[in-house]
Amino acid sequence: MNMNEYNYTSAAVELCAAIMTAMILFGYLLERKSAKNSSLFAWCLVVNTAMLLSDAPIWVLLANPSPERVIPIKILSFFSDAFFCAIISLYAYCLTEHISEIKKISYNYAHVITAFCGVALLLYFINIFNGMYIYYDETGLDKTGPMFLLSQAISVILPAMTMILALKHHGVLGWRKTWTMVLFGAIPVLSIPLQFYWAVTPVYFAVTVSLVLVYMLIRVEQAERSANIEKELIKKELALSESNNALVLSQIQPHFLYNALTSIYRLCDVKPEAAKEAVSNFSKYLRGNLDSIKQTEMISFAEELKHLQAYLALEKIRYGDYLKVEYNIEVAGFFIPPLTVQPLAENAVNHGVSDLPDGGVVTICTAETPDCYEIRVSDNGVGFNPDSVQSDGRTHVGISNVRSRLEIMCGGTLDITSDIGKGTTAIIKIPKGETENERYSGRR
């Protein structure tokens, strides 16, 4: 291969590498719409493309050396060297950011690498004027300077420092990630000996190969993460379905149905209009419970409130003046898991005010805070000791399922406080923002 073929081949190799990097960058940026990709890695791809595009024209200019071509060659050489330093620094920060997603670490080592890159860049700038690395004779032909080996040492030290950073945190990364991250520095370092036969092209092309391998690792991780998310969503849907069935079965209790029907029967002769209203409430109550078996999405609080009011109206027939219900609904324009409030109200009636000689009051309140919506179900009943309830050996299906459904469907919480002789308060908090239900709907 003659000198011209050698130069044009080098330019072609770097142009191909630049095109390949640009294509990866394009795909990476498209993926950022659906995945949380690092902007630092995107900048690594940008700088690598710029480095290759800066170096490729040098080979074309050197194919026919002349004194007038020396200045543009020096300028392009400085930019390609500057981009090389920049990509090492960016990769150090990118790697540190990746490690910090798993375990918080200091960025100090990345700062040190950047400082070394800054020193190397200064030396490359000085080389423009004194030719300590590369100089050009009177014909414009490039020659190695007295400190050429220092430039080779820099080409080894900078990538090697990124290797040390990856190896230092292999316990966090795991060996598969570690070796992939190490290759970013290892491949350019291993290609250094080839520079004695093929100038800088092997090192620059090696950086491209390294970035491709890192990109492949990122894609594999994203695929694994998506698969794990899909599995978690399926598990949550199954858990939600089981929770729905268990909760509905726990709510449709024979004694409640018997009491409700008995109360309606007694009203038929003395208060037929009230009996008709009670039948309507009983129908709404059953429909709400049965519909929730197949319900995997959030419902409006207004809809849940209607179900709750139907239940409490039936209980009011049974208890009469012994049960008072108060509503303080400040906000209703939000969504909650179905059959969330009614089990709490049922506990307030059956385990709170029903045990009081003179009856009591069940209060339903809603409020809005900057971060969430709150629903309070409280009573002035007998109260209980939370510690004794947790250790009584009974399965509190209603409460546990409400808590589970809140967590699965919207990241909500349920807290219950109680004082013996004073009453009990259950507080539901529904965080604002995207809900699990919305993510399910979007996936479908």
Side-chain angles (χ1 to χ4, degrees):
M1 182 183 292
N2 60 40
M3 187 58 67
N4 282 352
E5 291 176 341
Y6 171 88
N7 285 5
Y8 289 131
T9 300
S10 297
V13 168
E14 292 190 339
L15 283 174
C16 288
I19 293 170
M20 181 170 62
T21 307
M23 292 175 65
I24 293 173
L25 174 62
F26 180 72
Y28 189 81
L29 292 176
L30 288 179
E31 290 165 2
R32 291 200 70 194
K33 296 179 180 179
S34 57
K36 295 181 179 179
N37 290 335
S38 169
S39 59
L40 287 173
F41 185 73
W43 278 110
C44 286
L45 295 172
V46 170
V47 172
N48 185 65
T49 304
M51 178 181 70
L52 293 166
L53 292 176
S54 298
D55 198 63
I58 297 174
W59 293 107
V60 177
L61 292 172
L62 287 174
N64 297 293
S66 63
E68 59 270 16
R69 295 187 174 189
V70 170
I71 291 179
I73 289 173
K74 284 186 174 182
I75 293 173
L76 287 170
S77 296
F78 173 73
F79 276 109
S80 64
D81 291 332
F83 288 133
F84 176 73
C85 293
I87 199 171
I88 296 296
S89 174
L90 282 169
Y91 183 75
Y93 284 108
C94 182
L95 179 55
T96 305
E97 179 186 67
H98 185 75
I99 297 169
S100 293
E101 291 176 357
I102 307 170
K103 179 183 178 181
K104 207 70 177 175
I105 65 168
S106 171
Y107 277 77
N108 288 340
Y109 190 75
H111 298 332
V112 171
I113 293 177
T114 300
F116 272 89
C117 290
V119 173
L121 183 61
L122 178 61
L123 294 175
Y124 285 131
F125 182 74
I126 294 172
N127 173 69
I128 296 175
F129 304 100
N130 65 7
M132 60 182 181
Y133 296 155
I134 298 289
Y135 70 94
Y136 301 87
D137 61 19
E138 62 279 0
T139 66
L141 190 65
D142 59 312
K143 302 287 185 179
T144 57
M147 301 182 69
F148 175 73
L149 290 180
L150 176 60
S151 68
Q152 301 305 290
I154 290 173
S155 298
V156 172
I157 292 171
L158 295 183
M161 292 180 75
T162 66
M163 295 167 57
I164 294 171
L165 176 59
L167 289 170
K168 181 180 178 183
H169 297 284
H170 72 272
V172 177
L173 292 171
W175 283 112
R176 185 185 70 175
K177 288 184 185 178
T178 299
W179 288 119
T180 304
M181 298 299 186
V182 163
L183 287 176
F184 176 84
I187 294 178
V189 168
L190 293 174
S191 68
I192 292 294
L194 294 176
Q195 286 197 100
F196 292 97
Y197 305 98
W198 195 3
V200 298
T201 299
V203 173
Y204 285 2
F205 188 74
V207 172
T208 303
V209 172
S210 303
L211 289 174
V212 169
L213 291 174
V214 173
Y215 174 72
M216 290 173 63
L217 173 67
I218 291 172
R219 293 292 294 119
V220 169
E221 283 191 335
Q222 286 177 348
E224 291 177 348
R225 192 180 300 119
S226 297
N228 290 334
I229 291 173
E230 188 73 15
K231 289 179 182 178
E232 286 300 315
L233 286 174
I234 292 172
K235 286 181 180 178
K236 285 184 176 182
E237 286 179 340
L238 289 173
L240 183 59
S241 178
E242 293 173 358
S243 175
N244 283 349
N245 295 338
L247 187 56
V248 171
L249 291 173
S250 72
Q251 292 306 111
I252 305 178
Q253 300 178 34
H255 77 270
F256 173 75
L257 300 180
Y258 173 78
N259 291 333
L261 290 172
T262 301
S263 298
I264 294 170
Y265 175 78
R266 290 173 179 170
L267 286 174
C268 288
D269 292 329
V270 294
K271 294 182 179 180
E273 290 301 319
K276 290 169 67 174
E277 183 180 353
V279 169
S280 175
N281 286 327
F282 188 63
S283 174
K284 292 176 184 177
Y285 171 77
L286 289 179
R287 189 185 306 117
N289 279 3
L290 294 174
D291 285 348
S292 66
I293 292 179
K294 57 185 177 182
Q295 182 67 266
T296 59
E297 297 182 357
M298 307 270 277
I299 64 172
S300 68
F301 176 75
E303 188 176 346
E304 176 75 3
L305 183 60
K306 289 179 182 178
H307 181 259
L308 174 64
Q309 289 171 333
Y311 164 76
L312 289 173
L314 292 171
E315 291 288 46
K316 190 86 168 83
I317 296 172
R318 177 186 172 192
Y319 288 102
D321 293 337
Y322 283 91
L323 174 62
K324 293 182 175 61
V325 180
E326 295 179 354
Y327 296 94
N328 183 16
I329 309 301
E330 295 182 4
V331 58
F334 60 96
F335 291 82
I336 64 172
L339 219 60
T340 300
V341 184
Q342 187 263 327
L344 303 178
E346 182 176 344
N347 278 352
V349 172
N350 294 333
H351 305 295
V353 300
S354 67
D355 291 333
L356 292 176
D358 299 322
V361 181
V362 173
T363 305
I364 313 297
C365 303
T366 64
E368 181 179 3
T369 70
D371 301 323
C372 67
Y373 297 101
E374 286 188 1
I375 307 166
R376 291 175 179 260
V377 179
S378 58
D379 65 74
N380 62 345
V382 295
F384 64 90
N385 184 345
D387 294 332
S388 65
V389 170
Q390 292 172 6
S391 60
D392 62 3
R394 296 169 58 192
T395 55
H396 302 274
V397 176
I399 298 301
S400 63
N401 276 285
V402 167
R403 187 171 278 123
S404 174
R405 286 149 60 83
L406 282 166
E407 181 181 353
I408 291 173
M409 295 185 73
C410 62
T413 59
L414 169 62
D415 295 310
I416 298 177
T417 59
S418 185
D419 290 322
I420 295 176
K422 294 183 179 179
T424 303
T425 299
I427 303 174
I428 294 174
K429 291 186 179 180
I430 309 291
K432 294 180 178 179
E434 184 185 23
T435 65
E436 193 71 38
N437 174 68
E438 290 169 339
R439 288 193 284 273
Y440 287 159
S441 299
R443 186 165 59 87
R444 294 194 183 95

